Amino acid sequence: EYRQLARHCPDADPLKLAAVDVALESLVGLQPLKDYCRAARRDCLARAALGDPPLVRNVLISGNLGTGKKLAADLLSRLLRALGVAKGMSPTTTTLEQMALDVRRDMSCVIIDGLDKIESARHRVDAILNNFPNHCFIFVGPTDKVEALHGGVPHFRKVDPAWLQLPNYSSSELAAIASAKMSARGYSLAAGLGTRDVQSALSATWARDVLAMRNAHLSGELVERAMSARNRRLPMASLLAQPPTLHASDLGLASEGLDSLLAERACVDREIGALVGMGSLKAALAELRAKVEFVG
C-alpha cells in the first residue's frame, strides 16, 4: 500500500505516513481524531492520485482538561505533513495574540494553543485566515473558548472548519492510559494485578466528577503516586535490587485503601440495619448515600 502511495502521490512520505498510522492505532480513545484522520487521509490521497489540489480545511479541537487536545493537534499536523499537504519540518505553535508574528509562508501548519482575548483578536485572526488560505490552522482549547472563536471569526462562516469535540475518557480508558504510562516508565504490575485494578484505584482515589474534569492528567498522577508509594515502602537497599514492580498497596488498594473502605462501609450498613425504628433517619442516610454514589 505504501509503495503504491509513493507512485501515485509523489508529495506523500510513506515512511512518515506509516509512523503516523501506527501512532493513531495505538491511541487510547480519541475516536473523533481517528475518524477525521482516516477521512482526511483518504480524501487527500484520492485528490493527489487524480491530480486535484488538496482540500486544506482549518480544524478546531475542543474538550475538557486532559482529553488529549494537544496530542490530537500534534498527530493531525504530522499526518498533514506526511501526506504532503502541509509544508515544513515541524508545525508552528503560537497563540491568538502572537499569530501575526509567528505565521510564516514556509510553515503551512499552525497550531494555536492559547485562545485568550478572543474578542480583541478576532478581526486579526480573520485577516490572517484570509491571507493564508492554503495554511492549515489548528485551534486548540476548552469547549467554551472554541465556541466563542467559532462564533466570533467571520472566516468560519465563509469556510467551515472541521471541529473535533473530544469526549471525556471513560474509566477503563483512563486505566489503560495509566498502565501504558507505567510501562513507558519501566514499571510493571505485580502478579495478579491488571488494568481493572488500576481502574479501581482511579475510582477509589478520585470522584467521578473529578476524573471527568481532569481526565488523563489523573492517570499520570496515579502513576507518580504509585511510584512514590513504592519508594517509601521499600528500603533503599532493595529499591535498585528488586524489579520495578508496583503492588496493590502502591496503587492505594491495600488495607489502607479500597479494602478497608469497603469493610468499613459494610460495618456501617450493618449498624444502620440493626437500628430499631428511626425510619426517617434511615431514609435520609439512604438518600445521602445514593447522592454520593451518583457523584462518585
Side-chain angles (χ1 to χ4, degrees), residues 14 54 93 98 162 165 193 211 231 262 292 295:
T93 301
Q98 293 293 318
Q165 302 181 53
L193 295 178
L211 288 172
N231 293 339
L262 293 176
V292 171
V295 174

Side-chain angles (χ1 to χ4, degrees), residues 36 40 43-44 47 52-58 80 85 133 159:
Y36 180 74
D43 181 62
C44 289
R47 288 170 182 266
D52 295 328
L55 174 63
V56 180
R57 192 178 295 278
N58 296 314
L80 295 176
V85 175
V159 182

Side-chain angles (χ1 to χ4, degrees), residues 145-162:
K145 297 284 188 181
V146 174
E147 288 176 346
L149 179 75
H150 182 261
V153 176
H155 182 83
F156 292 142
R157 292 192 286 273
K158 294 180 289 185
V159 182
D160 279 338

